[in-house]
């Protein structure tokens, strides 16, 4: 009989948690009936972080996906009136992507949905546990020990 692999068990727990977070966020999106997929939601959130409309290539790089994936997401969001393609004022061959008013409204609803999902997921934890989890997650995300930890509870 082999001994359990603690790192393998942790990896499995992280995968299960990731799937649970995805399921819960998807449900909260569906409740609000926004007609936006989790991938489109991620693109809208990313788009909102730019000071000026980015190029599709910029979005693909930031999202760590191939440009074709961004094209598909933008096509769906444009058809829904959430984003629009606009010409670059400095180079007419370049197309940039900007949020529409409907897109900004959807983004506010998406933030509410994410907040509700986070409350549901984190409900079993105390504030101290949440702070500890946040610090641990920062360490795992950054890939280094002792750097960039959280200072306070979320």
């Amino acid at each position: 009989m082999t001994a359990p692999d603690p790192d393998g068990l942790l990896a499995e727990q992280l995968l299960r948690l990731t799937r649970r977070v995805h399921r819960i966020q998807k449900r909260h999106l569906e409740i609000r009936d926004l007609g936006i997929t989790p991938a489109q939601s991620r693109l809208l959130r990313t788009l909102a972080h730019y000071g000026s409309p980015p190029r599709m290539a910029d979005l693909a790089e930031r999202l760590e996906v191939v440009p074709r994936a961004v094209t598909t997401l933008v096509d769906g969001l444009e058809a829904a009136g959430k984003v629009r393609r606009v010409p670059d004022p400095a180079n007419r061959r370049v197309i940039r992507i900007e949020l529409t008013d409907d897109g900004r409204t959807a983004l506010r609803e998406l933030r509410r949905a994410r907040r509700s999902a986070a409350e549901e997921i984190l409900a079993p934890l105390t504030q101290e546990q949440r702070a500890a989890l946040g610090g641990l997650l920062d360490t795992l995300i950054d890939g280094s020990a002792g750097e960039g930890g959280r200072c306070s509870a979320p």
Side-chain angles (χ1 to χ4, degrees), residues 125-133 153:
L125 301 179
T126 65
Q127 288 301 319
E128 293 79 21
Q129 289 171 322
R130 290 176 188 205
L133 177 62

Side-chain angles (χ1 to χ4, degrees), residues 39-132:
Q40 290 172 330
S41 166
R42 186 170 173 235
L43 186 136
L44 286 175
R45 289 190 322 271
T46 301
L47 190 55
H49 283 76
Y50 283 92
S52 61
R55 299 171 309 138
M56 297 255 251
D58 299 328
L59 288 168
E61 184 178 332
R62 178 81 60 97
L63 292 168
E64 298 178 347
V65 299
V66 297
R68 178 71 188 118
V70 171
T71 300
T72 302
L73 293 172
V74 168
D75 287 347
L77 288 168
E78 187 175 39
K82 308 292 187 235
V83 301
R84 70 178 144 249
R85 288 172 166 92
V86 294
D88 185 304
N91 182 347
R92 63 188 173 100
R93 292 174 296 169
V94 174
I95 298 296
R96 297 193 174 267
I97 309 303
E98 70 179 10
L99 283 169
T100 63
D101 289 340
D102 279 352
R104 281 186 272 285
T105 299
L107 196 54
R108 284 191 293 276
E109 281 301 309
L110 289 169
R111 287 182 180 133
R112 288 184 191 106
R114 284 176 57 88
R115 214 172 9 261
S116 296
E119 288 170 7
E120 180 178 337
I121 291 163
L122 298 173
L125 301 179
T126 65
Q127 288 301 319
E128 293 79 21
Q129 289 171 322
R130 290 176 188 205

Side-chain angles (χ1 to χ4, degrees), residues 7-25:
D7 289 341
L9 292 173
L10 281 173
E12 179 60 30
Q13 286 176 303
L14 286 171
L15 289 172
R16 289 175 53 209
L17 178 59
T18 299
R19 286 190 296 265
R20 181 169 184 254
V21 167
H22 182 77
R23 260 190 333 271
I24 290 171
Q25 286 184 340

